Amino acid sequence: MRGLTDGRTPGETGRTTQAASTAVAVFVALGVSLSGCGTGGTGARDEGPAHADTVGGAASSSPAPAAKASPSKAPDRVDAWRLVKADPKVSPEVKRELKPCVADEYPVDVSYGKLTDGSADDVVVNVLTCGDAVGMGSYVYREEGGSYQNVFKAEEPPVYAEIDRGDLVVTKQVYDKGDPVSSPSGENVITYRWASGRFTEEYRTHNDYSNAAGNAPTPAPEPDS
């Protein structure tokens, strides 16, 4: 028999086969274990156990979503020429000048901003002439109880009012005798501030214009030699 020609007894042959099978099983198990410890695996030695503080740190380091900026509220527009026409404080002379220049376009400049302590924007209206845009009157309207009230007026033409960093700045051009409308001799700039329910003058400056600038005669060209 084959077992007898090998010189081993049947018991020895069984033990040898069992030992070989055991060795193969150990080798396969070792191979599986090593594949789990490789750099591309997901075994414990690759990453290690997750800790609560690590997860929490990662979550806390994530930037919070940026808050959406709320759009700024646009001021309520007013029909300036109607406001001036209906204002009993506006002089009849200014109201006569307040007429359309082209079609239904009226010569008014309108500005919105904070001048008083009201909850709504104040309205500054400048009434101009159609021909040469001379300021006939400047007014400030403050919203009170759902309607606009006249809290300032200046009707000494030429005059123009503006909002400057929360202050009311009124410019009045000064003319000497013989000055054309397009060339005043100077200007007074007066700054007003709202206090105790009315505008009070803070300070004023006076500027004189030069009549020489821009009026120098043009030199005659030299004759060709």
Side-chain angles (χ1 to χ4, degrees), residues 31 48 108 129 133 222:
V108 291
T129 59
E222 296 182 1

Side-chain angles (χ1 to χ4, degrees), residues 108-135:
V108 291
D109 287 349
V110 187
S111 301
Y112 301 87
K114 293 294 185 182
L115 287 172
T116 71
D117 55 1
S119 58
D121 282 342
D122 301 298
V123 183
V124 177
V125 181
N126 289 286
V127 178
L128 314 173
T129 59
C130 288
D132 43 22
V134 173

Side-chain angles (χ1 to χ4, degrees), residues 187-191 203-207:
E187 66 179 9
N188 293 321
V189 182
I190 310 169
T191 300
Y203 49 86
R204 68 171 57 204
T205 59
H206 175 79
N207 302 315

Side-chain angles (χ1 to χ4, degrees), residues 13-156:
T13 302
R15 287 193 296 270
T16 301
T17 303
Q18 183 179 2
S21 300
T22 303
V24 172
V26 171
F27 180 80
V28 172
L30 179 60
V32 173
S33 176
L34 290 175
S35 66
C37 296
T39 55
T42 56
R45 293 180 59 187
D46 186 23
E47 296 292 341
H51 297 286
D53 54 351
T54 304
V55 175
S60 61
S61 62
S62 300
K68 293 183 179 180
S70 57
S72 56
K73 181 183 178 182
D76 293 332
R77 295 293 189 262
V78 300
D79 200 341
W81 74 271
R82 292 183 184 276
L83 192 62
V84 173
K85 280 283 192 181
D87 186 357
K89 293 184 179 181
V90 176
S91 67
E93 292 78 14
V94 172
K95 290 184 178 181
R96 280 197 298 268
E97 290 292 336
L98 188 55
K99 52 189 176 182
C101 298
V102 178
D104 59 349
E105 296 182 5
Y106 287 81
V108 291
D109 287 349
V110 187
S111 301
Y112 301 87
K114 293 294 185 182
L115 287 172
T116 71
D117 55 1
S119 58
D121 282 342
D122 301 298
V123 183
V124 177
V125 181
N126 289 286
V127 178
L128 314 173
T129 59
C130 288
D132 43 22
V134 173
M136 298 297 297
S138 299
Y139 311 93
V140 178
Y141 291 94
R142 181 174 185 267
E143 195 276 330
E144 295 179 1
S147 62
Y148 286 95
Q149 303 298 323
N150 187 330
V151 293
F152 178 88
K153 73 174 183 176
E155 294 181 328
E156 301 82 17

